[in-house]
């Protein structure tokens, strides 16, 4: 089995808030790699699917929250490349009335339409998901499977993410990426030139990331900016939503609220604060995640907050 290697386009970003600064900002549209296996998830699954097929596995099993981009991407990838998929989803309350859950949750509805089977588990069971007891229980229930970790990060995922940057991208001084588990930025770091700087914007709080990234990389031309997580994973503010909408209106580039919106907010803020020296060429990676907008809008509507356009 072979998943095609693809290259995404790069476009220059013209945004009013930074137009007076002598910085050129570009964005690499990994979100356009595949209509459903979006952005970095395509990269992360590529070699894992090849390995699953080499091991003659027929089923992929993975973990995620109810709005996870990784769950949606794994369902779509399994559907397209001929694997059964099982999604172990955090939140046993969602399993009490599955038709209702699927009706109300756009991500799980999408995954279900792509034939994913779900196993809803309590939050405390979910925390033990890497333990042998938990995994052997899953094997008893579902039979043999190829396990893709939460968020999809492992060595093969990092290898796939080393294909995000190509020869032409050597001309950028700074490469920026959003971070969840750190697999994507690790692949990016491994494929940069020593003269390039990589900046990561974690979408969640916590200090574990430095250690996680160091497991996969040798270079030290990278740094994390932790001030742009907006209070934690999938937390948003009115300011962030307003920013995402203004960015979309001016540039026609959609950003997701969990990852790329926070990264771009951070990049624009750093540019405004003259963090980069004059003349710097920045390449931001659009890692995708746009499937999450519908679910977030339902949440924003309930909270009577403005929605993402
Ligand atoms: C999953 C995801 C990330 C995080 O990738 P990691 O490899 O876990 O750091 C970033 N951006 C988007 C849009 C994602 O869906």
């Amino acid at each position: 089995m072979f998943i095609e290697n693809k290259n995404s386009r790069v476009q220059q970003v013209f945004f009013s808030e930074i137009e007076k600064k002598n910085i050129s900002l570009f964005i690499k549209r990994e979100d356009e790699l595949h209509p459903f296996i979006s952005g970095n998830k395509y990269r992360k699954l590529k070699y894992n699917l090849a390995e699953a097929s080499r091991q003659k596995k027929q089923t992929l099993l993975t973990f995620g929250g109810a709005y996870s981009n990784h769950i949606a991407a794994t369902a779509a990838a399994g559907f397209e490349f001929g694997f059964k998929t099982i999604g172990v989803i955090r939140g046993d309350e969602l399993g009490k009335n599955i038709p209702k859950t699927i009706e109300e949750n756009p991500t799980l509805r999408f995954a279900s339409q792509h034939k994913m089977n779900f196993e809803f588990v309590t939050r405390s069971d979910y925390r033990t998901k890497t333990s042998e007891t938990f995994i052997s229980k899953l094997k008893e229930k579902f039979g043999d499977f190829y396990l893709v970790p939460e968020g999809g990060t492992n060595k093969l995922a990092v290898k796939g993410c080393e294909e995000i940057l190509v020869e032409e991208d050597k001309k950028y001084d700074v490469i920026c990426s959003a971070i969840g588990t750190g697999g994507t930025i690790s692949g990016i770091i491994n494929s940069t030139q020593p003269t390039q700087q990589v900046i990561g914007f974690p979408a969640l709080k916590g200090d574990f990331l430095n250690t996680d990234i160091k497991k996969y990389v040798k270079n030290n031309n990278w740094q994390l900016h932790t001030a742009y997580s907006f209070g934690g994973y999938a937390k948003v503010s009115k300011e962030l939503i307003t920013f995402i909408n203004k960015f979309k209106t001016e540039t026609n580039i959609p950003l997701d609220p969990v990852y790329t919106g926070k990264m771009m907010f951070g990049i624009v803020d750093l540019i405004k604060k003259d963090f980069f020296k004059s003349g710097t060429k920045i390449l931001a990676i659009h890692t995708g995640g746009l499937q999450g907008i519908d679910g977030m809008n339902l949440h924003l509507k309930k909270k009577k907050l403005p929605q993402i356009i």
Side-chain angles (χ1 to χ4, degrees):
M1 195 198 64
F2 182 72
I3 306 185
E4 204 189 335
N5 194 11
K6 302 191 198 187
N7 186 17
S8 57
R9 69 178 170 133
V10 171
Q11 54 182 141
Q12 190 163 3
V13 176
F14 298 99
F15 187 49
S16 61
E17 294 188 18
I18 50 173
E19 69 187 356
K20 292 203 173 63
K21 302 285 182 184
N22 184 28
I23 299 287
S24 31
L25 177 60
F26 297 81
I27 190 163
K28 192 171 181 87
R29 298 295 302 273
E30 292 279 296
D31 57 308
E32 295 176 342
L33 273 188
H34 187 283
F36 303 124
I37 315 168
S38 173
N40 63 345
K41 301 305 186 281
Y42 184 93
R43 305 287 186 186
K44 295 175 86 168
L45 286 167
K46 181 182 170 192
Y47 290 106
N48 275 296
L49 264 57
E51 178 60 19
S53 153
R54 198 190 62 79
Q55 293 180 16
K56 308 231 171 347
K57 306 273 177 161
Q58 288 169 358
T59 304
L60 308 172
L61 178 139
T62 196
F63 310 92
Y67 295 94
S68 161
N69 295 331
H70 170 66
I71 287 292
T74 305
F79 190 76
E80 180 162 335
F81 297 104
F83 295 94
K84 289 181 200 149
T85 53
I86 299 159
V88 179
I89 310 294
R90 181 177 53 230
D92 56 332
E93 74 282 0
L94 298 168
K96 297 208 169 107
N97 186 345
I98 297 179
K100 181 165 173 273
T101 294
I102 287 172
E103 195 188 306
E104 290 176 354
N105 180 312
T107 300
L108 296 181
R109 185 163 63 239
F110 172 86
S112 166
Q113 284 160 352
H114 289 79
K115 308 289 176 222
M116 180 175 261
N117 286 313
F118 301 122
E119 173 78 353
F120 294 96
V121 301
T122 63
R123 282 164 175 74
S124 63
D125 276 353
Y126 192 82
R127 267 180 249 119
T128 68
K129 65 186 170 302
T130 55
S131 77
E132 258 174 52
T133 6
F134 187 69
I135 304 221
S136 56
K137 265 191 215 151
L138 289 170
K139 289 219 158 129
E140 267 165 41
K141 182 155 182 187
F142 296 107
D144 196 26
F145 50 73
Y146 182 87
L147 189 143
V148 183
E150 184 184 37
T153 289
N154 56 15
K155 264 199 176 157
L156 292 174
V158 172
K159 180 178 171 189
C161 291
E162 290 170 3
E163 295 173 354
I164 295 174
L165 294 181
V166 296
E167 191 63 29
E168 297 93 275
D169 300 326
K170 289 185 178 160
K171 59 177 178 276
Y172 301 103
D173 306 303
V174 176
I175 315 291
C176 294
S177 175
I179 306 183
T181 59
T184 303
I185 197 167
S186 296
I188 291 171
I189 293 166
N190 287 342
S191 58
T192 50
Q193 303 297 105
T195 49
Q196 293 179 304
Q197 190 66 28
V198 181
I199 299 188
F201 296 88
L204 37 104
K205 291 201 282 190
D207 313 321
F208 55 92
L209 274 170
N210 273 300
T211 334
D212 287 359
I213 294 169
K214 281 179 192 152
K215 271 195 271 184
Y216 295 111
V217 307
K218 288 189 280 303
N219 307 346
N220 51 19
N221 58 333
W222 55 280
Q223 52 179 287
L224 306 183
H225 282 264
T226 54
Y228 303 104
S229 74
F230 288 83
Y233 190 70
K235 300 234 164 69
V236 296
S237 69
K238 207 169 163 179
E239 189 187 20
L240 179 66
I241 304 300
T242 308
F243 173 83
I244 288 171
N245 287 343
K246 184 175 179 192
F247 191 84
K248 168 89 188 283
T249 309
E250 287 189 23
T251 67
N252 208 21
I253 300 166
L255 299 172
D256 84 292
V258 180
Y259 294 104
T260 55
K262 292 179 181 181
M263 169 194 70
M264 193 54 78
F265 187 100
I267 295 171
V268 167
D269 193 54
L270 290 174
I271 293 175
K272 284 195 212 160
K273 290 176 173 157
D274 296 320
F275 175 82
F276 303 101
K277 70 171 195 284
S278 178
T280 300
K281 283 198 206 63
I282 303 174
L283 179 65
I285 310 299
H286 196 315
T287 41
L290 301 174
Q291 72 85 26
I293 292 178
D294 289 347
M296 181 60 79
N297 274 343
L298 292 172
H299 168 78
L300 293 169
K301 196 173 172 185
K302 267 192 221 147
K303 298 220 143 180
K304 300 205 164 45
L305 282 165
Q307 302 202 16
I308 300 163
I309 53 176

